[in-house]
Amino acid sequence: MADTLVIVESPTKAKTIGKYLGSKYIVKASIGHVRDLPKSQMGVDVTHNFEPKYITIRGKGDVLKGLKDAAKKVKKVYLAADPDREGEAIAWHLAQYLGLDMNQPLRVVFNEITKDAIKEAFKHPRHINMDLVNAQQARRILDRLVGYNISPILWKKVRKGLSAGRVQSVAVKLIMDREREIQEFIPEEYWTIASTLISDGKEINAKFYGYGDEKVELHSEDDVAAVLKRMKNKPYVVQKVTKRERKRNPAPPFITSSLQQEAARKLNFRTSKTMRIAQELYEGIDVGNKEGAVGLITYMRTDSTRLSVTAQNEAKEYILEKYGPDYVLSEPRNQAKNENAQDAHEAIRPTGVMRTPDEIKEYLSRDQLRLYRLIWERFLASQMSSAVLDTMSVDIDAGGVTFRATGSKVKFPGFMKVYIEGNDDGTEEESFLPPIEEGQILDQKEIEPSQHFTQPPPRFSEARMLKSMEEMGIGRPSTYAPTLETIQKRGYVALEEKRFVPTELGEIVITLVEEFFPEILNVEFTAHMESGLDNIEAGNTNWVQVLDDFYQDFAKRVVVAEEEMKEVELKVEESDETCELCGSVMVYKLGRFGKFLACSGFPDCRNTKPIVKEIGVKCPQCETGEIIERKSKKSRIFYGCNQYPECDFVSWDKPIARPCPKCSSMLVEKKRKKQGVSIICTKCDYQEEADS
């Protein structure tokens, strides 16, 4: 008969753990947090040491009653929520509600949900760590103080329903500042000269470097003319050939932020999707009769690249068997530690490297498999030997004008056999050059001067945003996903072509916050507050003191803002369309997924519709409608007939306004990652390059 109750957060986790613990244990789920600050009021007594007023979260009454009834029937209760601040706070709230003796070791923590890890964890229960609890409380109260003081002012001065948050406001400010940089950017002209040379029948792509050993930049067409004049009719002579052997090390195993960034780059996952799927992999997936439900990865909220010796040895064994001794590390690789890292948990890794993606793919959904494969390959590669590249740099002289060609090739793949880290600009290794000797004369195939203009900094993608927030110490990895979701839901930023742009509303709100609460938008101040929370967790700082230091000045600013902030009227941009439901003018609005049309009669009329973008092509199916650009629910662009639903023509590829010269069927632009854009026929095998 069961005599011990174990409480975790989720039913999936409860099911997986229950299988390992056996019949003497009852495992139940709290379904996340059970108590929180009330939504209807501040819920913090600022005059009495910021004492929080916790209430039962709506809908959790029956859950708590069931846990209390179960606790009465057993001799012992263990609290096994996730091993972080949030998990510690959940355990503390449960202990308080259930009336458990806090002097007893009630808390059980584990970094992975596997049989050995669970059994070992239950051998070593500990007391609830109040430093962790207080760090979570301080963050929650701090955010409440900011949000519930600034938001009502914004409701009065701008519009109801607005909010301002400590981290979200800084995130919007980053996006807004980047947009200003782009708008104020003044392009500068520059030129390049590319020369295609021939050595033993093989092409070499060389670029203008300068005069002799001096690097020279070309700013105008006159500069280019001077170069061409100097090298006219002069032979291309190889002056210097430099060969080097270069080692390339693998990326470290994932931490929360790097997983979010790489999943955005390689899998096109939104941050929230990455964390949801990672949670599923952590809590347990049924992988068949051999193992049943098992946690496939370690805890996914971590800022440490540290790995256990057991994991390293298991990886070494697998690499030796699969790839051979040359791919095995001679000694463990020491990963650089981020100075801001709490280092509470291991890196994100598979709980068993022998559980390969291919072996368990039939038990995973498509997205679960893709994310698991990413984590598995990244971990394995981090434990493999370095890659060795042969690099070559060639300086070529033509009448005192220097051209330079560079290239590389893989001499030994090492970790690259398994995984190569992605990047934001999509650049790849250059190709290797053919054999070249000093003094060799090369033939010229062509020379091509090109005019360019410097480009403004790019808008933030999710991956770039995450990286910037991490580098600046804004928030913590576990807060990134909800922060980016919130600023879109509030209408402060929108996604256009997978890049963040600030809305007019976002710019108004941030401008007001910046004027009256400058410290909230100060990156250094925000990073300092995060360090303060970390110090609370480490037991080095009193949480009440951290809040008091912030609130004393902040409260004075609230009073000034209430008196001096002026009301702002949001501009309405009218369109030339009328609402088909009520006849009012349709106006442009900017939501989380970009611009759309909405009825100006809102809230009496709530009609909305997408902005139609015609591409100048007649529908090939009904021959009367026009093809328009549309967006799917996942914001993927496709093309359809404007007579829908009468005509159901759709195409993922962009139709063009001329028929196939071979069969007169529709031509479309086909985008391929490596080949670029081609024009193909939808019926026959006709194909041409897009720029022909």
Side-chain angles (χ1 to χ4, degrees):
M1 183 177 174
D3 61 2
T4 303
L5 172 65
V6 178
I7 304 175
V8 297
E9 302 103 306
S10 80
T12 302
K13 190 174 175 183
K15 181 181 177 182
T16 308
I17 292 173
K19 182 188 72 172
Y20 298 136
L21 293 177
S23 59
K24 290 188 176 181
Y25 293 80
I26 300 172
V27 185
K28 290 186 173 290
S30 68
I31 324 292
H33 278 277
V34 292
R35 297 199 306 174
D36 196 7
L37 299 173
K39 290 184 178 181
S40 59
Q41 56 182 279
M42 172 84 73
V44 178
D45 189 346
V46 296
T47 61
H48 292 85
N49 292 330
F50 302 96
E51 184 179 343
K53 175 187 176 183
Y54 292 116
I55 62 170
T56 300
I57 295 173
R58 180 173 292 182
K60 290 297 181 73
D62 290 342
V63 174
L64 284 172
K65 184 178 182 302
L67 294 175
K68 180 167 267 189
D69 289 343
K72 291 176 181 177
K73 298 174 183 177
V74 296
K75 296 179 181 178
K76 191 171 290 185
V77 177
Y78 287 121
L79 307 170
D82 286 345
D84 57 13
R85 292 175 186 170
E86 294 293 318
E88 207 72 17
I90 290 172
W92 178 71
H93 282 297
L94 285 168
Q96 292 245 313
Y97 179 82
L98 298 175
L100 303 179
D101 185 355
M102 301 272 276
N103 294 316
Q104 295 298 314
L106 308 169
R107 186 80 167 101
V108 176
V109 293
F110 35 81
N111 192 48
E112 59 185 73
I113 303 178
T114 57
K115 185 175 183 179
D116 291 343
I118 297 301
K119 294 210 165 188
E120 183 64 24
F122 275 85
K123 290 178 183 177
H124 307 285
R126 62 166 173 79
H127 294 85
I128 290 175
N129 186 330
M130 288 307 299
D131 292 329
L132 281 173
V133 174
N134 289 333
Q136 190 275 340
Q137 279 197 119
R139 175 186 289 280
R140 189 76 185 92
I141 294 170
L142 185 63
D143 290 340
R144 179 57 66 100
L145 293 174
V146 172
Y148 274 56
N149 276 292
I150 300 180
S151 297
I153 301 175
L154 295 175
W155 297 351
K156 294 176 187 176
K157 309 296 184 178
V158 185
R159 193 176 76 187
K160 284 188 176 181
L162 299 181
S163 71
R166 186 177 56 89
V167 176
Q168 73 179 50
S169 297
V170 181
V172 178
K173 176 79 162 44
L174 288 178
I175 294 167
M176 196 171 82
D177 287 347
R178 175 58 57 88
E179 194 67 20
R180 286 175 180 168
E181 283 184 68
I182 294 170
Q183 292 171 358
E184 295 170 2
F185 182 81
I186 300 174
E188 294 183 4
E189 180 184 12
Y190 72 98
W191 288 72
T192 59
I193 305 175
S195 184
T196 303
L197 307 172
I198 305 295
S199 173
D200 295 331
K202 295 183 178 180
E203 292 187 358
I204 299 169
N205 296 314
K207 293 182 179 180
F208 170 76
Y209 177 79
Y211 298 122
D213 293 331
E214 182 186 357
K215 186 174 177 62
V216 175
E217 293 182 355
L218 305 174
H219 298 289
S220 67
E221 196 168 3
D222 289 341
D223 292 345
V224 173
V227 172
L228 297 179
K229 181 179 179 180
R230 184 167 177 174
M231 61 182 290
K232 187 177 182 180
N233 298 325
K234 297 295 192 296
Y236 286 87
V237 182
V238 177
Q239 289 291 316
K240 184 169 66 173
V241 178
T242 305
K243 295 180 180 179
R244 287 193 180 92
E245 186 178 274
R246 178 167 64 91
K247 282 192 174 182
R248 180 174 172 180
N249 291 325
F254 282 128
I255 59 176
T256 304
S257 57
S258 60
L259 174 63
Q260 292 170 345
Q261 292 168 48
E262 193 75 336
R265 294 188 196 105
K266 289 194 170 183
L267 307 181
N268 200 27
F269 281 5
R270 301 293 304 278
T271 309
S272 54
K273 180 176 182 178
T274 298
M275 296 311 292
R276 173 175 56 79
I277 296 172
Q279 184 85 34
E280 293 167 359
L281 295 174
Y282 165 70
E283 291 186 346
I285 303 288
D286 193 330
V287 293
N289 294 330
K290 184 178 178 181
E291 291 188 279
V294 63
L296 297 179
I297 64 170
T298 53
Y299 193 52
M300 64 283 162
R301 292 186 179 90
T302 178
D303 56 11
S304 173
T305 56
R306 175 171 50 84
L307 293 168
S308 69
V309 174
T310 301
Q312 290 175 323
N313 289 339
E314 190 181 53
K316 185 175 182 179
E317 181 183 337
Y318 180 88
I319 294 164
L320 181 63
E321 181 182 337
K322 179 77 174 179
Y323 299 103
D326 291 343
Y327 290 83
V328 176
L329 286 174
S330 56
E331 57 184 35
R333 182 178 283 114
N334 292 320
Q335 305 289 356
K337 180 182 175 182
N338 187 319
E339 62 179 12
N340 295 321
Q342 298 169 22
D343 199 33
H345 315 295
E346 274 191 78
I348 304 170
R349 62 168 175 81
T351 54
V353 76
M354 302 297 182
R355 204 179 288 114
T356 68
D358 288 338
E359 284 184 357
I360 61 172
K361 64 182 180 182
E362 64 182 290
Y363 304 106
L364 305 179
S365 69
R366 178 176 179 269
D367 286 339
Q368 286 174 339
L369 177 62
R370 293 170 74 201
L371 190 64
Y372 180 70
R373 189 182 297 279
L374 195 68
I375 294 168
W376 186 91
E377 289 178 350
R378 173 90 163 215
F379 163 70
L380 190 68
S382 75
Q383 300 306 295
M384 296 176 74
S385 55
S386 302
V388 180
L389 306 178
D390 278 336
T391 65
M392 183 187 290
S393 176
V394 180
D395 284 357
I396 305 155
D397 177 80
V401 176
T402 301
F403 281 77
R404 178 168 289 179
T406 59
S408 67
K409 73 174 182 181
V410 178
K411 183 177 182 180
F412 172 69
F415 74 91
M416 294 171 68
K417 195 99 172 171
V418 173
Y419 174 90
I420 301 174
E421 185 178 27
N423 56 47
D424 291 321
D425 55 18
T427 55
E428 297 180 359
E429 289 284 341
E430 64 269 33
S431 59
F432 196 66
L433 301 173
I436 302 175
E437 296 179 359
E438 291 181 4
Q440 182 179 344
I441 297 176
L442 306 175
D443 296 324
Q444 178 187 295
K445 181 180 178 182
E446 63 179 345
I447 188 164
E448 184 180 359
S450 299
Q451 183 187 35
H452 309 274
F453 292 92
T454 54
Q455 297 297 309
R459 286 171 171 166
F460 286 107
S461 63
E462 271 211 351
R464 285 184 185 273
M465 192 67 191
L466 292 168
K467 189 174 184 180
S468 296
M469 292 174 73
E470 180 185 26
E471 290 173 347
M472 295 179 181
I474 302 167
R476 281 293 177 260
S478 60
T479 68
Y480 295 161
T483 296
L484 296 184
E485 285 289 309
T486 297
I487 61 177
Q488 291 174 79
K489 286 179 180 177
R490 300 293 185 204
Y492 297 158
V493 302
L495 274 178
E496 290 187 3
E497 297 180 349
K498 299 182 181 178
R499 295 292 186 272
F500 287 112
V501 293
T503 64
E504 180 193 11
L505 178 61
E507 292 191 358
I508 289 171
V509 168
I510 295 306
T511 300
L512 291 173
V513 173
E514 189 171 24
E515 180 181 354
F516 291 94
F517 303 96
E519 73 278 7
I520 298 297
L521 295 177
N522 185 299
V523 170
E524 291 183 3
F525 174 82
T526 304
H528 177 72
M529 289 303 302
E530 292 296 342
S531 297
L533 295 172
D534 293 343
N535 285 330
I536 294 170
E537 178 177 332
N540 299 327
T541 306
N542 181 275
W543 70 278
V544 174
Q545 187 63 51
V546 169
L547 292 174
D548 192 58
D549 290 344
F550 165 77
Y551 191 70
Q552 291 302 321
D553 188 55
F554 176 73
K556 295 174 185 176
R557 292 187 182 276
V558 170
V559 174
V560 172
E562 287 176 333
E563 295 176 353
E564 298 183 6
M565 188 183 289
K566 296 178 180 178
E567 291 188 15
V568 178
E569 186 176 349
L570 291 171
K571 297 177 184 177
V572 177
E573 183 184 358
E574 294 186 352
S575 73
D576 55 3
E577 294 192 39
T578 56
C579 176
E580 62 269 27
L581 299 184
C582 71
S584 299
V585 174
M586 299 292 282
V587 296
Y588 292 105
K589 296 284 187 179
L590 192 53
R592 60 186 302 201
F593 298 117
K595 274 190 173 182
F596 65 95
L597 288 169
C599 181
S600 59
F602 180 88
D604 296 326
C605 179
R606 296 176 177 268
N607 183 30
T608 63
K609 58 184 178 181
I611 296 171
V612 174
K613 182 179 178 182
E614 295 184 352
I615 64 171
V617 179
K618 281 283 184 184
C619 177
Q621 187 166 298
C622 69
E623 299 182 349
T624 57
E626 291 284 336
I627 300 299
I628 60 173
E629 184 181 293
R630 307 182 71 176
K631 280 188 178 181
S632 69
K633 290 181 179 179
K634 295 185 177 181
S635 294
R636 183 180 172 186
I637 291 175
F638 70 98
Y639 302 89
C641 181
N642 66 354
Q643 300 299 311
Y644 179 84
E646 286 76 17
C647 177
D648 61 359
F649 170 82
V650 291
S651 172
W652 289 113
D653 302 312
K654 184 178 181 179
I656 63 174
R658 59 184 172 89
C660 172
K662 192 172 180 180
C663 71
S664 299
S665 297
M666 184 177 73
L667 293 176
V668 296
E669 290 183 359
K670 188 75 175 178
K671 293 181 180 180
R672 298 183 176 94
K673 283 186 178 180
K674 293 185 178 180
Q675 296 92 335
V677 181
S678 299
I679 293 176
I680 65 168
C681 178
T682 54
K683 297 291 184 183
C684 72
D685 59 357
Y686 177 79
Q687 181 172 330
E688 65 182 58
E689 294 303 314
D691 56 354
S692 62

